[in-house]
Structures are given as C-alpha cells and as structure tokens.
C-alpha cells in the first residue's frame, strides 16, 4: 500500500494523544505534522503535552521533539506538508466547522473526530463496517467547496458505536423501536480520575447534547445518498438516556429493540457471529478480525475485561434475551477512545486510502 504523510490537528488533547499512539507504527500513515492552539505552537510536543499526557503508553519517541505548528494560522503550510490530516480540536462548533472547511479548501483532506460537521448534508459520517458507501458523497462535497483533493469526512459519536453495530445486521427484520441507555466512561469527556475526582463513587444522569446525538446520528449512518446530500433514514424510532459513570474507558449500552418481523435468538446470534464489513474484506490494518463478539456469560461484557478486545476495535455483546415490552434486550460495549474516537478515525482514513480518496 502507498505511504501517506499525515498531520494531527489538536495533537495535545486526549483524542489527539490517542491518534499519536495509534499512528506511531502505522504501516500506511507517517506523522509529519503536529498542530495545536496558538498557545502551544512553537513548543515541542513533549513540552506542550508532556505534563498533560494521559495515555497509558509513553509519548512516541519520534514525536517528542516535533515542533507544534499553529492549527489556525499555519493552514497553508500544514497543507503543503501532508496528504491529509486528522482533526481533534477543542473549539466552539462554528469555529471547528470554519477551520475544517479552511483545510479542505487548502486541498488538505480532513478526517475529523469532531461533531461539528456530522450533520452537514454532504459530509459523510462513517462507521466503516456499516456505511462505507457514504464516502461517495465526497464528489458532491468537492463540487460545493470548489476543491480537487480537499474534503471533510467524520466519524460518528462514540456512544452510538457501542449499540448501532449490533443493530445493523438485524435491519433485515425491520427495526421498529429502539431504546438505548448508555453508561459512558469519563474519558469521553476528555478526563481521567485525577482531573475529575468528583466522578469517583458517582454517577451523573446527564451528558449535554449526547441524547440528541445518540438518537439522530444512527439515522444518518443508515441514510442514503440522494443527489448531493445524505438523507437520513426514517426508521427505527430511537430513544436514549445517556449517563456518565465512574469508568475510565468503555461505553456500555443497555438496548431494547422491537421488530416488524421478530427473528429467533439463534438468527440474531448467527448474524452477529458472521457479520463482516468492507474493512474485514479489505483487511484494513486497524480492522478487527471479528467485528461483533458475543459473550455467553451472564456477567459479560464488562468494561474492565472486554474494552480492549481486538485492540479496542471490536464491539462486545451479551445478555441477549426476550423482553416483556420489546422483542429483545441485550448489552453492548465498545472502547470509546479507540473504536469510538481515534481508532474509528484511523479506520475511516484507511478506508479512504484504500479507495483512493487521498490520491
């Protein structure tokens, strides 16, 4: 596979740090640029992020002495040095939208972890195993932006990565109503227990904006391209509650679902076991061999035991059983900063590279 030079915009934040660790020995992508806010620009990565390094593994040696560029003022310079950039900045939504479009118009493709462009009609929001065909909207986006190479592609919210993959292969039975209660790790807020001691022995029953994202984003993922935009699916009806729980990493979801045509438990388990997507078919470097794992044990999946399954890129399911009000209920788990954030972004970039969108 061709080698690509890449940049990380927002390299000092938690997701940016995760991108750095995942790209350290990537077989296709070579990190050439690190960028951050103006206050960090001019410092080495070690100087700017060293005391705030939150990863369990050390900062990549090759990146320690890289001098950070200014993410907002060095766009043209950054664009000239890379084939594309990952973006994980901490800014206001309208500022992120403007920044990412500025990179795209500078002919620097952006693979974004941010939410700002998730509902821009011609920006694909991709879970690579579920809706890889949505990247075809990039042609229309380039026409709107007036670019030849530049575009924006985004990954979905971390919360839906736990339960939407388990629902996806069941759509053939007609998903009707879905209730999902998510129990979300503190790293989803960019924090750990040292920086957020209030979360120890605590649960917060509200995460701003999360329920709207969890209810609406699956409908775009399951939507279809019509003309120059992605039109959301109209079913299923989804309602969610999202809670912050004292877990370092790993989002768990309790899912209840009803169908137009109720499948058997054996049919569901067989579909989960045998489901493969384009990343598995293409054998992309970050793709899990088995996308959906089912645990027979009643007390699994557990965040501490199962979040790192297949490098944190697999989805775990368990406790599938019939329900008194819905047809079935089950539990799901995914690693929110790997599959749900930076890892999902890297996998999306691999898909785009394999399909020639960076060439």
């Amino acid at each position: 596979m061709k080698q690509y030079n890449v940049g990380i915009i927002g390299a000092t934040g938690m997701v940016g740090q995760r991108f750095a660790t995942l790209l350290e020995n990537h077989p296709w992508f070579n990190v050439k640029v690190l960028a951050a806010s103006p206050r960090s620009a001019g410092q080495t990565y070690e100087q700017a992020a060293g005391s705030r390094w939150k990863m369990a593994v050390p900062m990549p040696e090759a990146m320690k002495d890289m001098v950070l560029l200014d993410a907002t003022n060095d766009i043209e310079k950054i664009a000239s040095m890379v084939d594309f950039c990952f973006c994980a900045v901490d800014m206001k939504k309208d500022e992120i939208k403007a920044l990412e479009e500025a990179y795209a118009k500078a002919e620097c493709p952006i693979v974004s972890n941010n939410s700002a462009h998730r509902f821009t009609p011609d920006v694909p929001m991709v879970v690579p195993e579920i809706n890889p065909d949505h990247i075809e909207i990039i042609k229309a986006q380039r026409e709107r932006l007036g670019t030849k190479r530049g575009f924006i592609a985004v990954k979905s919210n971390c919360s839906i990565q736990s339960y939407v993959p388990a629902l996806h292969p069941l759509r053939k039975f007609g998903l009707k109503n879905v209730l999902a209660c998510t129990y979300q790790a503190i790293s989803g807020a960019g924090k750990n227990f040292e920086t957020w001691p209030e979360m120890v022995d605590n649960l917060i029953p509200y995460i701003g904006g999360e329920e709207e994202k969890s209810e609406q984003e699956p409908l775009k993922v399951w939507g279809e391209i019509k003309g120059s935009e992605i039109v959301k699916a109209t079913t299923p009806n989804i309602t969610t509650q999202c809670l912050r729980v004292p877990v370092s990493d790993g989002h768990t979801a309790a899912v209840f679902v009803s169908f137009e045509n109720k499948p058997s438990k054996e049919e569901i388990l067989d579909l989960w076991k045998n489901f493969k997507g384009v990343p598995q078919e293409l054998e992309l470097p970050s793709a899990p061999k088995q996308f959906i794992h089912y645990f027979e044990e009643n007390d699994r999946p557990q965040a501490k035991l199962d979040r790192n399954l297949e490098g944190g890129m697999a989805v775990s399911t368990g406790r599938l059983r019939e329900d008194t009000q819905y047809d079935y209920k089950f539990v799901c788990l995914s690693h929110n900063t790997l599959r749900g954030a930076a890892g999902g972004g890297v996998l999306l970039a691999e898909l785009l590279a394999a399909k020639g969108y960076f060439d």
Side-chain angles (χ1 to χ4, degrees):
M1 185 67 186
K2 180 180 174 181
Q3 297 288 301
Y4 295 90
N5 292 330
V6 307
I8 304 172
I9 304 166
T12 56
M14 182 177 276
V15 177
Q17 293 176 22
R18 182 69 80 180
F19 273 124
T21 63
L22 292 176
L23 296 170
E24 182 177 11
N25 297 303
H26 196 279
W28 300 356
F29 304 149
N30 305 305
V31 177
K32 295 296 183 183
V33 174
L34 299 174
S37 65
R39 66 178 178 273
S40 296
Q43 300 180 59
T44 66
Y45 194 30
E46 188 172 37
Q47 289 171 334
S51 63
R52 295 184 286 124
W53 187 256
K54 296 184 173 117
M55 299 295 103
V57 296
M59 179 180 289
E61 283 294 330
M63 299 182 202
K64 284 184 177 180
D65 293 328
M66 291 180 69
V67 176
L68 293 168
L69 296 182
D70 187 326
T72 54
N73 295 313
D74 291 331
I75 294 174
E76 295 291 339
K77 181 177 181 180
I78 293 168
S80 71
M81 298 170 68
V82 299
D83 295 302
F84 71 95
C85 281
F86 295 99
C87 188
V89 294
D90 182 12
M91 299 165 64
K92 293 178 181 178
K93 189 172 181 177
D94 58 340
E95 294 173 347
I96 294 172
K97 290 183 78 169
L99 182 72
E100 292 181 343
E101 283 210 1
Y103 275 93
K105 288 178 178 177
E107 301 293 1
C108 179
I110 289 293
V111 178
S112 178
N113 184 74
N114 303 302
S115 65
H117 273 294
R118 286 186 192 149
F119 285 102
T120 302
D122 60 9
V123 171
M125 178 174 64
V126 180
V127 180
E129 285 89 351
I130 295 176
N131 61 330
D133 57 303
H134 280 196
I135 63 175
E136 294 170 14
I137 198 69
I138 287 170
K139 181 177 183 293
Q141 186 194 142
R142 282 171 167 163
E143 290 175 0
R144 174 177 65 85
L145 295 174
T147 60
K148 294 180 179 179
R149 289 188 69 254
F151 64 87
I152 303 160
V154 302
K155 50 153 288 299
S156 69
N157 191 44
C158 53
S159 66
I160 79 167
Q161 305 266 357
S162 57
Y163 60 90
V164 167
L167 291 170
H168 181 68
L170 309 182
R171 293 183 73 215
K172 63 186 290 185
F173 300 110
L175 295 178
K176 191 163 59 174
N177 295 307
V178 174
L179 163 63
C181 296
T182 61
Y183 305 88
Q184 301 185 203
I186 61 173
S187 56
K191 298 180 180 180
N192 55 29
F193 288 116
E194 289 183 3
T195 59
W196 202 4
E198 297 86 357
M199 276 307 303
V200 176
D201 191 30
N202 196 15
L203 180 153
I204 299 175
Y206 174 73
I207 305 171
E210 203 74 2
E211 286 156 8
E212 180 183 7
K213 294 175 189 174
S214 298
E215 292 169 359
Q216 293 300 315
E217 288 190 17
L219 299 177
K220 182 173 180 179
V221 169
W222 285 325
E224 60 180 315
I225 296 173
K226 291 184 178 179
S228 60
E229 62 181 30
I230 297 167
V231 177
K232 291 194 301 182
T234 56
T235 58
N237 297 311
I238 305 172
T239 185
T240 65
Q241 286 210 109
C242 301
L243 294 78
R244 188 73 72 192
V245 295
V247 171
S248 58
D249 294 298
H251 287 356
T252 299
V255 184
F256 303 77
V257 59
S258 58
F259 299 91
E260 298 288 349
N261 302 292
K262 183 180 177 181
S264 68
K265 181 177 178 180
E266 290 70 28
E267 285 177 307
I268 294 174
L269 292 176
D270 185 65
L271 283 168
W272 284 347
K273 180 180 179 181
N274 294 304
F275 179 70
K276 293 183 184 299
V278 170
Q280 286 71 38
E281 294 167 3
L282 295 177
E283 297 183 344
L284 299 179
S286 298
K289 296 285 189 293
Q290 177 79 33
F291 183 35
I292 301 171
H293 291 249
Y294 184 77
F295 287 91
E296 296 285 352
E297 300 91 333
N298 283 330
D299 62 349
R300 303 283 287 277
Q302 292 182 29
K304 198 168 186 177
L305 297 178
D306 304 313
R307 60 193 170 204
N308 290 313
L309 195 61
E310 296 215 40
M313 292 298 289
V315 173
S316 301
T317 59
R319 301 203 69 208
L320 174 65
R321 59 221 191 273
E322 293 193 35
D323 184 60
T324 57
Q325 297 181 42
Y326 290 76
D327 288 330
Y328 286 99
K329 55 189 171 186
F330 53 88
V331 175
C332 298
L333 168 73
S334 66
H335 195 302
N336 57 296
T337 68
L338 288 169
R339 165 55 71 166
V346 172
L347 185 61
L348 171 54
E350 291 169 359
L351 173 68
L352 291 162
K355 296 294 186 179
Y357 280 85
F358 299 134
D359 298 334

